Amino acid sequence: MKELDLTNVQNNWENFVSSAVTMAPRLITAIVSAVLIFIAGRWLIGILKKLIRKAFIKRGVEISLQKFMLNVITWTLNILLFIIVVTQLGVQTSTFVAMIGAAGLAIGLALQGSLANFAGGILILLLKPFKVGDYIEVKSGESGTVHEIDIFHTRLITPQNQMVVIPNGDVSNNSITNYTHLGTRRTWFNIGVSYDTDLKQAKDILLDVIKNNQYAFDDPAPQVVVTELGDSAVNLSVRATTSLDNFWTMNEELIISCKKALDNAGIEIPFPQRDLHIYQRS
């Protein structure tokens, strides 16, 4: 009985060695070819990334969009290369396809909100309603200079030097006010004068203030417009255009100069007040 068992073991070992010797050339060839395909594939992916990056730079594609597209292309090519390599080793790709499909479904269900932000980021990068450096305001009330546009979020720097992170889904699905897209900004503030003021004189004084400001543009022409008969004052709207860099400086200087000019002319800038009438009954 022991001799029979030893004979079976010997036969099995001889069959294994024979099969291994038979399969060794094919296995070695598959491994070597897979390694060569992997090395060549990685080299080709690097060359393609350089060519695509140069094409993006030549066409002036937004930096954030460049990074996103390069990442997507790199991941896609690496996945394709992985499938080609494992196929060369004799592994069935149907298993990987099923695994990728199941993983994609699970990730999609778990990250519905993130996918909405992802889609919003793609729309922002493609449609370009704003770019890095623009001063914008979104419908939710946040405003600031665009610091960075990620795939999932947009980051703003407020005038108070605070970082505001807004989901791209909210940005792309709501209205956006871009204050710097046209290259200039127009100040627009009201000054109230008393009801007994000569409005033509007040308008002329304020227009002279604008024309004497070093930052205000002559074209488009500045304006001073009567906009409202308020409860305590007649409101005059001061409107002047300047460059993006000088907007806040001009705005402050105009407010100070307009008040000083009206004070010098004896024109009152009234504050909210209420008249009380007392009647005595006999």
Side-chain angles (χ1 to χ4, degrees):
M1 187 69 177
K2 291 183 179 179
E3 293 180 358
L4 182 61
D5 292 339
L6 291 174
T7 302
N8 291 333
V9 170
Q10 183 178 1
N11 291 335
N12 291 334
W13 173 251
E14 290 177 354
N15 291 333
F16 172 76
V17 171
S18 176
S19 300
V21 170
T22 303
M23 294 179 59
R26 288 184 295 173
L27 182 61
I28 294 173
T29 301
I31 294 174
V32 171
S33 60
V35 171
L36 292 176
I37 290 173
F38 177 78
I39 295 173
R42 293 291 298 175
W43 179 76
L44 287 175
I45 290 174
I47 296 297
L48 286 174
K49 285 177 62 177
K50 292 181 180 178
L51 294 175
I52 294 170
R53 185 181 290 108
K54 290 180 179 179
F56 284 159
I57 295 173
K58 185 176 180 180
R59 293 180 175 272
V61 178
E62 180 74 24
I63 295 177
S64 300
L65 182 58
Q66 288 184 32
K67 294 180 180 179
F68 168 69
M69 294 300 296
L70 284 173
N71 286 335
V72 171
I73 292 171
T74 301
W75 276 100
T76 303
L77 292 176
N78 284 328
I79 291 173
L80 291 176
L81 177 61
F82 175 75
I83 293 174
I84 293 173
V85 169
V86 297
T87 302
Q88 186 65 29
L89 293 173
V91 179
Q92 296 295 327
T93 58
S94 58
T95 304
F96 289 100
V97 173
M99 291 175 60
I100 292 173
L105 178 60
I107 293 172
L109 293 175
L111 302 175
Q112 293 183 16
S114 297
L115 290 176
N117 293 331
F118 176 79
I122 294 177
L123 290 175
I124 292 171
L125 292 171
L126 292 177
L127 300 180
K128 299 180 180 179
F130 55 84
K131 63 181 184 299
V132 173
D134 285 354
Y135 189 90
I136 67 170
E137 181 180 356
V138 296
K139 188 177 180 181
S140 55
E142 291 87 355
S143 63
T145 302
V146 180
H147 175 68
E148 188 177 3
I149 306 172
D150 291 336
I151 298 303
F152 296 101
H153 300 90
T154 294
R155 291 175 169 82
L156 306 181
I157 301 295
T158 68
Q160 296 80 20
N161 199 34
Q162 298 171 331
M163 173 75 75
V164 178
V165 181
I166 310 173
N168 284 334
D170 295 340
V171 177
S172 62
N173 291 326
N174 291 293
S175 59
I176 305 167
T177 302
N178 191 330
Y179 291 97
T180 57
H181 180 74
L182 299 179
T184 60
R185 287 192 67 178
R186 191 171 179 84
T187 189
W188 198 290
F189 60 87
N190 291 331
I191 295 180
V193 297
S194 62
Y195 269 87
D196 58 1
T197 299
D198 184 339
L199 295 181
K200 185 178 184 308
Q201 178 192 9
K203 289 179 59 176
D204 291 340
I205 291 172
L206 296 178
L207 279 173
D208 287 339
V209 170
I210 299 174
K211 292 177 181 178
N212 291 327
N213 187 280
Q214 60 178 327
Y215 301 114
F217 291 167
D218 295 329
D219 185 24
Q223 293 179 315
V224 177
V225 181
V226 179
T227 58
E228 183 184 15
L229 299 176
D231 294 336
S232 304
V234 179
N235 291 325
L236 304 179
S237 177
V238 178
R239 306 169 184 178
T241 303
T242 188
S243 63
L244 300 177
D245 295 334
N246 297 324
F247 173 77
W248 294 110
T249 302
M250 183 197 72
N251 191 72
E252 181 186 21
E253 289 187 359
L254 286 180
I255 293 174
I256 295 173
S257 300
C258 286
K259 182 183 184 305
K260 183 177 180 180
L262 292 176
D263 289 342
N264 291 337
I267 297 176
E268 180 188 2
I269 302 178
F271 52 85
Q273 53 189 306
R274 179 172 297 175
D275 293 334
L276 297 178
H277 300 273
I278 301 175
Y279 297 95
Q280 292 183 352
R281 293 184 180 180
S282 57

